[in-house]
Structures are given as structure tokens and as C-alpha cells.
Amino acid sequence: MTTTLIKKLASFGMVGITGIVIDFGITWILKERLKVNKYLANACGFTAAVINNFFLNTVFTFKEANSDSPKHLAAFICIALIGLLLNTGILKLLQQYTKFGFYFAKAITIGLVFFWNFFANHYINYSG
């Protein structure tokens, strides 16, 4: 990996930390306080984090001049939707086949889906 790619990956990770706080916070509020189905709560938390991450990554990670470009937003959302499918599928598998608690399984899932989101955005959305 090049130095530039490593810097972008690190920046994407730092932005991702804000997304994790948003994701876990909303998921927890919906699941624990409002008693929403855990997978729906997960999807809502994930979606809010994606919106946050789009804006922050466009400005800080990929330094895109056209940060309001509908093309980038649409591509980011498509990549995120695939990420959501991966997120929900992996989370469900971990819940079914391991004894991991929900939030530990969610943390593992976020770590795995992070790589999909970064490389898909880097090579597809912001490649040229």
C-alpha cells in the first residue's frame, strides 16, 4: 500500500470513530430504551452513521472539491447499502452461531464492513 492510501485509510478510520459513536448511540437508544427490534435499530444507527461519514469523508478523507456532488452521494449510498446488507448479515450470523453478545458482535461486524466501505469508496466512488 502506498503512503497516500494508508493516510486515507487512517483518516477514514478516524471519521469512522465518529460514525461508531453515532451508530452505537442510536442503536442503543432505539433497542434498549424504545424497545425497537434489534435489527431495525441496527439499520437506523448504521444509516445515521453513513450520512455523517459521507460528509466527513468527502471533506477530510478524499478531499473532494465537489462535496455536494449528487454522483458521490448516490455512489456512497449504494456502497453503504451493500455495507448495510453485509452488516446485518454478519451480525445475524454472529448472533446465531456464536455466544457473542449483541454489541460485541456489532463491533466485530463494524470492523469487517469498514474494509468494504473504505476500499469500495476509494476505488469506485472517489477514484477519478
Side-chain angles (χ1 to χ4, degrees), residues 54-112:
F54 168 73
F55 290 108
L56 294 179
N57 278 312
T58 298
V59 172
F60 296 112
T61 303
F62 300 108
K63 296 179 174 57
E64 189 63 34
N66 304 349
S67 62
D68 61 346
S69 168
K71 176 189 124 188
H72 288 299
L73 178 58
F76 200 91
I77 289 171
C78 287
I79 290 166
L81 287 174
I82 294 168
L84 177 59
L85 292 173
L86 291 169
N87 181 293
T88 303
I90 294 167
L91 181 60
K92 189 164 182 146
L93 287 172
L94 288 173
Q95 287 281 272
Q96 284 180 331
Y97 297 109
T98 71
K99 295 183 187 277
F100 296 155
F102 178 78
Y103 292 106
F104 183 69
K106 183 170 175 60
I108 291 170
T109 299
I110 287 170
L112 295 172

Side-chain angles (χ1 to χ4, degrees), residues 4-5 24 50-51 54 80 105 113:
T4 303
L5 186 61
F24 270 80
V50 165
I51 292 166
F54 168 73
V113 176

Side-chain angles (χ1 to χ4, degrees), residues 3 8 10 12 14 22 24 28 43 46 48 52 64 72 75 110 128:
T3 304
K8 286 183 179 180
F12 196 84
M14 287 189 285
I22 290 168
F24 270 80
W28 183 83
F46 181 89
N52 169 75
E64 189 63 34
H72 288 299
I110 287 170

